Amino acid sequence: PNEPSRTLPDGSVDKEYEKGWFNRMSNATFEMGSTFKSFTLAMGLDQGKITLNSVVDASKPYRLAGFTIHDDHGQRRPLTVPEVFQYSSNIGTATIASMIELSDHQAFLTKLGLLSKMKTELPEVATPTQPHPWRKINQATISFGHGVATTPLQTAVAGAALINGGKLIEPTFLPRTAAEADATATQVIKTSTSADMRFLFHWNGVKGSGRSALVPGFNVGGKTGTADKVINGRYAAHLNFNAFLAGFPIDKPRYVVLTVIDAPLTGEKGGRLAAYTAAPMAREIISRAGALLGVQPHFGEGQEQLLVNY
């Protein structure tokens, strides 16, 4: 950052170096991978198509329009809704999305601000990309985060709405009171749906891919997303774009945290997936920032017991 321009030995500007200087949080779009399963399950819950007690058949691949969708961590059995989230089941998530009309699915993501250009004080804001038109196969892949590209900032804002009681709050970089924030808020999902999503985030934080983001006392819940990196319009099977969408303390959320890492070579335990890269990044951020933000750590009862209290 203290070297905003760099010259080569011949005195010319290093163009490759300059390419990296822009705000990727708001001015770049990415396929956010399985973090999008959070929005799909919230949609199913909010529209009454599923409950936390529902069971979805993930015993065999999901086939549609000549395409076959598999699970990376397949259990090859029916899954409860919390298990769909825990095992990040593409099959289960696509099945839930299929219960929703195409237009209603698109409208739900639009309501969460994920398909339109976000308004902020920043001049550099990218517009999300989506298929034109949506087809059933697009709906299936979008349900687990492939086919729609959004900015990290708007993904975090929509994620906050899932766990804060269901209110989409316009982001700002300027000071404002809680009352001023609430005046801009729009109720986008039911409060009961938001409570269910807090449960799912916490469940995954304790039992699923979010375990590597746990910080003692801060009750972190979240969802990982590992997407194949898009290069020149094609998926690169050997490169990932990883993300972790988290909230803490997840029983009474005060903060949302979204970490992203582009094309990691390796992470914890030698892994390249988000559970080994983006989630540990969130853990390190929360462990250092939580107390500075005034969040009181709580050590009175274990993570497992907190699940029972919902």
Side-chain angles (χ1 to χ4, degrees), residues 242-264:
N242 295 348
F244 185 69
L245 177 62
F248 77 98
I250 199 60
D251 51 329
K252 294 180 180 178
R254 289 183 57 191
Y255 294 96
V256 65
V257 179
L258 175 66
T259 54
V260 297
I261 180 166
D262 194 353

Side-chain angles (χ1 to χ4, degrees), residues 247-310:
F248 77 98
I250 199 60
D251 51 329
K252 294 180 180 178
R254 289 183 57 191
Y255 294 96
V256 65
V257 179
L258 175 66
T259 54
V260 297
I261 180 166
D262 194 353
L265 298 178
T266 186
E268 291 188 345
K269 301 179 182 178
R272 204 180 68 194
L273 305 179
Y276 304 109
T277 56
M281 288 166 59
R283 180 190 68 219
E284 295 303 309
I285 291 168
I286 293 168
S287 65
R288 296 184 66 180
L292 296 175
L293 293 169
V295 178
Q296 292 277 357
H298 178 69
F299 301 100
E301 52 191 353
Q303 296 274 357
E304 293 283 357
Q305 184 59 41
L306 283 167
L307 279 174
V308 177
N309 291 342
Y310 277 105

Side-chain angles (χ1 to χ4, degrees), residues 25-49:
M25 290 301 98
S26 65
N27 201 28
T29 60
F30 306 95
E31 293 192 354
M32 299 302 293
S34 291
T35 60
F36 249 61
K37 290 172 182 166
S38 310
F39 306 121
T40 305
L41 267 61
M43 175 178 65
L45 290 164
D46 205 57
Q47 298 196 13
K49 302 298 183 182

Side-chain angles (χ1 to χ4, degrees), residues 133-147:
W134 277 39
R135 297 183 173 87
K136 290 298 288 183
I137 187 58
N138 301 126
Q139 179 183 36
T141 61
I142 288 168
S143 75
F144 51 82
H146 291 264

Side-chain angles (χ1 to χ4, degrees), residues 213-237:
L214 287 177
V215 179
F218 284 103
N219 194 18
V220 180
K223 182 73 187 79
T224 51
T226 300
D228 291 336
K229 184 175 170 66
V230 179
I231 300 178
N232 297 324
R234 295 178 178 272
Y235 290 108

Side-chain angles (χ1 to χ4, degrees), residues 73-118:
H73 311 286
Q75 303 300 299
R76 296 185 176 87
R77 62 175 174 82
L79 301 173
T80 64
V81 167
E83 286 178 326
V84 169
F85 207 60
Q86 172 185 351
Y87 296 116
S88 201
S89 172
N90 296 337
I91 297 168
T93 307
T95 300
I96 292 169
S98 71
M99 303 173 186
I100 311 294
E101 294 292 333
L102 272 176
S103 58
D104 291 339
H105 190 167
Q106 195 170 16
F108 184 81
L109 295 184
T110 301
K111 182 169 63 172
L112 288 176
L114 290 165
L115 299 183
S116 53
K117 187 174 180 179
M118 171 167 277

Side-chain angles (χ1 to χ4, degrees), residues 182-205:
D182 199 54
T184 73
T186 303
Q187 193 77 33
V188 289
I189 59 173
K190 300 169 187 171
T191 56
S192 59
T193 302
S194 183
D196 287 345
M197 292 309 300
R198 289 194 296 273
F199 174 86
L200 290 176
F201 270 59
H202 196 203
W203 176 277
N204 192 56

